Amino acid sequence: METDVLGLPYERHTIDLGTDDEGAVIATLVRRRGETPSRRAVLYVHGFVDYFFQTHMADFFVERGWDFYALDLRKYGRSLLDHQTPNFCRSLTDYYPELDEAVRIIREVDGHDQLLVAGHSTGGLVTSLWAHSRSGQGLVDGLFLNSPFFDFNVPWLLRRPLMKIVGRAGRNPYRALPLSTLGLYGQSLHSDYRGEWTYDLAWKPLEGFPVRTGWLEAIRRGQARLRAGLTIDAPVLVACSTRTFRGRDWAEEVRVSDAVLDVEHIVRWAPCLGPRVMITRFDGGLHDLTLSGKDVRTEVFRELGRWVDAFVPPKGTPEVSVPPAPEDKAGATTH
């Protein structure tokens, strides 16, 4: 571990992932430990055109007795190298090696025996598929999904031509597509524009990075796998806004809506994750709920804390005694 760009108490570890068709590949595991030793840990995975900078989220968990980790996936943020296409992958399974290694470090090297995985947007889709593939191994004790990317936010009339283009991704996976940008969402976040957050615009550009056919095909396949049904064997909390913003020009509604995904898609597909899924929605929430206005994000963390206490309690916590269901009365008449 070495000191992270955020400064102490944040540290980072570079994970060597070998090479791909563009050259050397790395991922970066960021760590913040609490003052008191803990065997509970959180692993956060960011979304598309994103990286870990949400230190207030780390504060929340550390103050509750968890050690906090965040993973900048290959070709994102701290892990983006000069020779690489930003945020590109050919399959969402490409990210499994860094997730596996991050969890190995958290559990085997740093000695944690309880792990909550938190994924935002694309990171929510990736961690869902990964958690499903690792079911039965005892790696994940809970999964928190913040506005997960379960479906494309495009009108149904555009889906067919878009998917036709994506279907030819094998011919030129690096082809950039002229899709709408993230500009309005970026404006709502960054303190230089209309937001309250400061982050590196080289790693998280206001207008985003180009969307490429190979990446879109990887997302399409991942979403299709999810919609076919997963069997994640840990409790899952899916959270999203109550509103979707669809305009092209700035409006104050951007500040209180998801301006990236259709929130109804999230709610529709959440039950496909597994048998223990809870859905919670926040009025006024942004796409990244933890970056919403102060009152909304306070409620987000309050609800997250309640869920964690109920479904991911410390190891050894006695189970809540639940009275048995009343027996049917013998001879009772039913109608």
Side-chain angles (χ1 to χ4, degrees):
M1 288 283 183
E2 60 183 1
T3 301
D4 184 55
V5 293
L6 294 171
L8 293 174
Y10 293 92
E11 305 168 290
R12 72 181 181 200
H13 170 72
T14 299
I15 300 172
D16 185 350
L17 296 167
T19 61
D20 66 5
D21 61 316
E22 293 188 309
V25 181
I26 63 169
T28 309
L29 183 65
V30 179
R31 178 179 72 184
R32 179 183 167 189
R33 283 175 158 168
E35 295 182 3
T36 303
S38 174
R39 297 186 66 84
R40 310 174 80 193
V42 179
L43 175 62
Y44 170 74
V45 181
H46 56 80
F48 184 59
V49 189
D50 206 358
Y51 72 102
F52 169 66
F53 64 90
Q54 300 88 339
T55 55
H56 64 294
M57 178 167 49
D59 293 340
F60 168 80
F61 281 107
V62 170
E63 289 168 4
R64 294 176 66 88
W66 297 71
D67 286 340
F68 183 87
Y69 295 78
L71 183 63
D72 277 14
L73 300 169
R74 62 185 69 196
K75 306 187 183 184
Y76 283 87
R78 298 164 178 80
S79 307
L80 179 61
L81 304 178
D82 291 341
H83 60 270
Q84 293 177 327
T85 302
N87 302 182
F88 181 79
C89 73
R90 292 175 182 267
S91 170
L92 297 186
T93 61
D94 290 351
Y95 300 122
Y96 289 9
E98 53 255 53
L99 283 164
D100 287 338
E101 179 61 8
V103 172
R104 187 193 70 81
I105 292 171
I106 292 168
R107 285 190 172 275
E108 297 180 15
V109 178
D110 287 355
H112 297 89
D113 58 15
Q114 190 171 35
L115 179 63
L116 170 67
V117 176
H120 167 54
S121 197
T122 304
L125 176 61
V126 172
T127 53
S128 296
L129 296 169
W130 172 82
H132 164 77
S133 71
R134 302 299 184 260
S135 290
Q137 299 182 26
L139 299 179
V140 179
D141 295 288
L143 185 62
F144 168 53
L145 304 179
N146 170 4
S147 303
F149 187 12
F150 288 166
D151 208 342
F152 290 107
N153 184 17
V154 295
W156 70 271
L157 285 173
L158 298 179
R159 283 173 178 263
R160 196 166 188 176
L162 176 62
M163 290 304 107
K164 190 173 182 179
I165 294 173
V166 170
R168 303 192 191 111
R171 302 179 188 177
N172 185 6
Y174 291 99
R175 176 188 173 188
L177 297 175
L179 300 179
S180 59
T181 67
L182 301 172
L184 295 181
Y185 179 55
Q187 288 182 43
S188 74
L189 297 181
H190 203 278
S191 58
D192 288 350
Y193 297 87
R194 305 173 191 267
E196 61 175 294
W197 307 100
T198 300
Y199 50 83
D200 192 331
L201 289 172
W203 289 347
K204 185 177 173 64
L206 199 69
E207 300 291 336
F209 290 114
V211 172
R212 302 182 185 275
T213 56
W215 179 85
L216 272 179
E217 171 61 10
I219 295 294
R220 186 195 67 78
R221 291 198 307 267
Q223 291 175 342
R225 178 65 192 89
L226 178 138
R227 292 197 290 268
L230 305 182
T231 54
I232 297 172
D233 60 356
V236 183
L237 174 63
V238 177
C240 65
S241 181
T242 59
R243 294 181 251 179
T244 300
F245 180 79
R246 299 191 181 282
R248 295 186 177 183
D249 300 316
W250 176 264
E252 286 303 302
E253 283 184 57
V254 177
R255 300 184 189 274
V256 292
S257 308
D258 190 326
V260 179
L261 298 181
D262 185 330
V263 296
E264 300 307 324
H265 291 161
I266 297 171
V267 174
R268 177 182 180 184
W269 299 116
C272 295
L273 293 165
R276 290 184 289 167
V277 179
M278 178 179 290
I279 303 170
T280 184
R281 306 180 70 171
F282 298 92
D283 189 32
L286 293 178
H287 177 55
D288 185 340
L289 293 166
T290 70
L291 302 181
S292 302
K294 184 177 180 179
D295 290 344
V296 178
R297 68 176 180 263
T298 296
E299 183 58 29
V300 169
F301 284 117
R302 182 183 296 118
E303 192 66 25
L304 175 58
R306 290 171 180 160
W307 179 82
V308 168
D309 289 346
F311 291 95
V312 197
K315 294 283 188 180
T317 301
E319 290 192 15
V320 176
S321 178
V322 179
E327 297 292 335
D328 291 339
K329 293 182 180 180
T333 302
T334 59
H335 299 279

